[in-house]
Amino acid sequence: MLVFAFSAHSTFPEHRSSLANPQHFPRVIGLTYLVLSVWKSAFGIVAWIAYGDLTKEVITANLPTVPSKITNAAIALNTWLSLPLVVVIFFRILDALRGAKSTKMVAWTQRTLGLVFCAAVAGVVPHFALLLGLFGALTGTLLTFLFPVIFYLKLGGERLGMGRKIGAWVVMVFGVVGGGWSTYSAVKALIQKM
């Protein structure tokens, strides 16, 4: 979940190009990541203080019924409202590849059908959440920790100082360890459910 929260960078170029003042984008992203880091760290620490070693993998499983349902509804609403950010970008890229811009009605229809299709797949595929966790562990690790760092090192080459290279390798090692653990946990959970 933590990796997913910081994996939006694949959408950055499209979002930045659509801003009225793109020069403010780095500052906005830096502030957003700072707030996310503080918020998610505080949330994890408070959960651990409240439940200790009994803290379950999905924190809402520790909550009483009513707060758990409210929290799950808020998470579902957040997911449903943030999914269009990715869907819109997907269809903008599709339009660019086709070399034609869709009319507003066609764009609205494509995006709506795309979201309905995603919801249908989520409802039909057994153990979808666990499967999504496995895909997230694999792709999140590759797209967040490995590929960007490999490209950074390759493109930076000799211009990068030793400190930056070491920092990049630390990020990669952290990503491999975290991604390996996440993949193992997701596979283990899938096997237990089958």
Side-chain angles (χ1 to χ4, degrees), residues 141 172-182:
T141 299
M172 276 203 316
V173 168
F174 176 78
V176 168
V177 170
W181 180 256
S182 298

Side-chain angles (χ1 to χ4, degrees), residues 3 7 130-147 175-176 178-184 186-187 190:
V3 171
S7 296
L130 295 175
L131 194 59
L132 196 59
L134 175 60
F135 291 155
L138 292 170
T139 61
T141 299
L142 292 172
L143 296 174
T144 304
F145 294 102
L146 297 181
F147 291 160
V176 168
W181 180 256
S182 298
T183 302
Y184 168 77
V187 169
L190 266 171

Side-chain angles (χ1 to χ4, degrees), residues 91 95 102-112:
F91 284 108
D95 284 348
S102 299
T103 65
K104 285 199 182 274
M105 187 58 155
V106 169
W108 184 87
T109 303
Q110 286 175 333
R111 294 167 188 174
T112 302

Side-chain angles (χ1 to χ4, degrees), residues 30-101:
L31 182 60
T32 301
Y33 275 170
L34 176 66
V35 169
L36 271 175
S37 298
V38 169
W39 178 255
K40 290 185 181 292
S41 297
F43 188 80
I45 291 167
V46 168
W48 186 79
I49 289 171
Y51 300 108
D53 291 338
L54 299 175
T55 305
K56 296 181 181 164
E57 192 171 329
V58 178
I59 190 63
T60 56
N62 287 94
L63 300 174
T65 304
V66 173
S68 177
K69 287 184 179 186
I70 292 170
T71 304
N72 285 335
I75 291 169
L77 181 64
N78 175 56
T79 303
W80 189 253
L81 293 176
S82 59
L83 184 60
L85 291 173
V86 178
V87 172
V88 165
I89 289 172
F90 172 78
F91 284 108
R92 281 185 185 170
I93 292 170
L94 196 61
D95 284 348
L97 290 173
R98 284 184 334 178
K101 188 171 180 175

